């Protein structure tokens, strides 16, 4: 029996663990993949207040070490549901765990383009993580799809060692930071392909090209690339909690800035929660808010 079970060991979950442990509560983190969450795939973080520059991996490692040094326990398991009651039971594929309060900090996973062959070519040219797979494409042409911070960072990262980087975006304005778009514009091996969507992946065993369609003219263009990095945002994965918390139409857990869900003692923190700004800072802030609310609930 733990005081608090935190589902997900990303920035929100680990921040919640730090706050709950410092408040004297026992904490179990349940994580299905690896600790650190999405930020481990970000080459450089330059907008976390107080830290001028750090790799996403080092940032996550620091959080993990801070939480475990305080006594956080971490188990790898996929949570399949929660049962409410005097105590709460968190169900996983292999085992059930009891606790007094639960913090859902499941983050979000990469959104696929939904194109034919996308799954088959994943790992054979198609990737969702430039930091993990970019090095395989040294000296070769690649494309990045998306217009947010992830796509801009990925394109910048890849432009340092790929022969050519096409940045394909469905609009002519980027959602990501202007500073990075300006840096990309100045790179000779980067070409913006704007107002365009990828409509076909070419290649049998390995990706050899993408077909892009101009949204205004309908004109098609084949871009010969060995790699495609898809960075078109994330999707939440909260269906397992739908009996105890409300989900919005996109699947995010409905909770306001106090991180409270419709069930007492169950909180939502970080990217899995309905919110407008999904950043490291807001994930860490949610972790603190949810943990302190859970501590107050437990008493
Ligand atoms: P995002 O900001 O949601 O951007 C997704 C991009 O993909 C948008 O440009 C969107 O186009 C495009 N898109 C969405 N669905 C598409 C589809 N079906 N086909 C083609 N394009 C599609 O996602 P993100 O870049 O992964 O960033 C997620 C959050 O993490 C953001 O808040 C971001 O600021 C943050 N982040 C922060 C850092 C950092 O602080 N260092 C690094 C990475 C990410 P539209 O613009 O037209 O909607």
């Amino acid at each position: 029996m733990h005081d608090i079970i935190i589902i997900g060991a990303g920035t929100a979950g680990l921040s919640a663990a730090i706050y709950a442990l410092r408040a004297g509560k026992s904490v179990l983190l349940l994580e299905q993949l690896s600790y650190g969450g999405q930020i481990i795939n970000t080459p450089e973080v330059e907008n976390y207040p107080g830290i001028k520059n750090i790799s996403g991996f080092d940032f996550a490692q620091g959080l993990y070490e801070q939480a475990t040094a305080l006594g956080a326990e971490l188990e790898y398991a996929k949570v399949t549901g929660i049962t409410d009651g005097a105590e709460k039971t968190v169900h996983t594929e292999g085992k059930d765990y009891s606790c007094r309060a639960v913090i859902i900090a499941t983050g979000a996973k990469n959104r696929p383009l939904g194109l034919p062959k996308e799954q088959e070519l994943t790992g054979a040219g198609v990737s969702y993580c430039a930091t993990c797979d970019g090095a395989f494409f040294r000296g070769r042409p690649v494309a990045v799809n998306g217009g947010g911070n992830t796509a801009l960072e990925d394109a910048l990262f890849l432009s340092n060692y790929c022969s050519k980087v096409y940045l394909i975006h469905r609009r002519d304005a980027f959602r990501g930071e202007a500073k990075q778009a300006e840096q990309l514009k100045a790179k000779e091996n980067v070409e913006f392909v704007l107002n365009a969507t990828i409509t076909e992946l070419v290649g049998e065993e390995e990706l050899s090209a993408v077909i892009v369609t101009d949204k205004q003219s309908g004109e098609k263009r084949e871009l010969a690339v060995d790699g495609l990095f898809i960075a078109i945002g994330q999707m939440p994965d909260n269906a397992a909690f739908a009996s105890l918390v409300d989900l919005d139409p996109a699947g995010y857990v409905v909770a306001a800035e106090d991180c409270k869900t419709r069930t007492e003692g169950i909180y939502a923190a970080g990217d899995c929660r309905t919110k407008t700004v999904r950043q490291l800072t807001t994930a860490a802030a949610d972790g603190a808010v949810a943990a302190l609310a859970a501590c107050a609930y437990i008493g």
Side-chain angles (χ1 to χ4, degrees), residues 7 81-85 87-91 102 104 238-247 253-254 260-267:
I7 305 170
I82 305 170
T83 304
D84 196 23
E87 327 177 324
K88 300 185 194 301
T89 309
V90 178
H91 309 283
V102 177
I104 301 169
N238 297 314
F241 318 118
S243 62
L244 293 175
V245 304
D246 291 328
L247 302 182
V253 179
V254 176
K260 291 182 181 171
T261 69
R262 75 167 154 82
T263 301
E264 283 214 26
I266 300 184
Y267 305 88

Side-chain angles (χ1 to χ4, degrees), residues 38-39 42-48 110-114 145-153 168-171 173-177 180 196-198 215 231-234 271 276-281:
Q38 290 186 65
I39 199 61
T42 295
E44 278 186 306
V45 177
E46 292 185 339
N47 58 4
Y48 195 86
N110 295 317
R111 175 180 291 128
L113 278 168
N145 190 200
N149 277 325
T150 304
L152 298 183
E153 277 183 6
I168 304 162
H169 178 37
R170 65 182 177 183
R171 291 190 294 136
F174 292 111
R175 186 179 289 271
E177 283 180 11
Q180 289 191 320
T197 50
I198 299 178
K215 285 183 76 180
I232 59 165
Q234 284 83 36
D271 283 5
T276 48
V277 180
R278 292 193 168 83
Q279 292 285 304
L280 276 185
T281 41

Side-chain angles (χ1 to χ4, degrees), residues 57-99:
F57 181 84
D58 287 346
F59 179 85
Q61 188 63 24
L63 265 182
Y64 170 75
E65 286 171 13
Q66 195 177 355
T68 48
L70 286 165
E73 292 170 50
L74 173 68
E75 287 195 27
Y76 290 97
K78 178 163 173 57
V79 173
T80 52
I82 305 170
T83 304
D84 196 23
E87 327 177 324
K88 300 185 194 301
T89 309
V90 178
H91 309 283
T92 72
E93 279 169 348
K95 199 172 157 187
D96 292 342
Y97 300 85
S98 306
C99 62

